[in-house]
């Protein structure tokens, strides 16, 4: 199994209320991909970080293998969510992919 972890920071220009709505949209959009992308086993967006957090959101997803992760990255449903709900609102992104035994 392959794990795909993403951390995002939202752009500073948004108010706290706007950021909350953006986070909800990202969560709904990405979690809505479950069952639509081959090899995607699990997907969860965590948006309720503790005050000590330095990012606004974390994506925690699992795939059958590296090929499934590659397919996810270019799958039209994922690209649609990323282009409409994630990329316009984020200023920084960090990714950590690894094989979980």
């Amino acid at each position: 199994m392959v794990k795909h972890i993403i951390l995002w920071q939202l752009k500073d220009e948004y108010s706290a209320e706007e950021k909350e709505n953006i986070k909800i949209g990202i969560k709904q959009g990405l979690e809505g991909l479950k069952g639509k992308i081959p090899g995607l086993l699990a997907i969860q967006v965590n948006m309720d970080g503790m005050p000590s957090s330095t990012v606004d959101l974390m994506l925690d997803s699992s795939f059958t293998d590296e090929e499934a992760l590659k397919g996810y990255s270019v799958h039209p449903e994922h690209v649609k969510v990323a282009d409409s709900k994630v990329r316009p609102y984020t200023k920084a992104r960090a990714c950590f992919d690894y094989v979980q035994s």
Side-chain angles (χ1 to χ4, degrees):
M1 178 170 56
V2 170
K3 295 290 288 180
H4 175 61
I5 308 297
I6 303 289
L7 302 171
W8 290 287
Q9 285 182 316
L10 297 178
K11 292 179 181 175
D12 296 328
E13 62 205 52
Y14 300 112
S15 69
E17 183 179 339
E18 288 171 321
K19 284 184 176 185
E20 190 64 22
N21 289 330
I22 291 165
K23 290 192 289 186
I24 290 168
I26 290 171
K27 181 175 179 66
Q28 290 172 343
L30 289 172
E31 290 181 357
L33 297 174
K34 186 163 172 98
K36 295 180 179 178
I37 298 179
L40 174 61
L41 301 173
I43 189 164
Q44 180 180 5
V45 174
N46 297 297
M47 53 183 255
D48 296 319
M50 296 171 53
S52 57
S53 298
T54 60
V55 298
D56 297 297
L57 292 150
M58 180 186 89
L59 170 68
D60 182 356
S61 53
S62 303
F63 295 85
T64 53
D65 54 28
E66 190 174 355
E67 288 304 311
L69 174 57
K70 288 178 183 176
Y72 164 82
S73 69
V74 296
H75 191 283
E77 290 292 326
H78 170 255
V79 171
K80 179 179 167 185
V81 171
D83 285 348
S84 66
K85 297 188 178 288
V86 181
R87 292 183 181 118
Y89 306 104
T90 56
K91 69 175 182 176
R93 174 188 181 272
C95 175
F96 187 73
D97 297 329
Y98 64 98
V99 175
Q100 185 174 34
S101 52

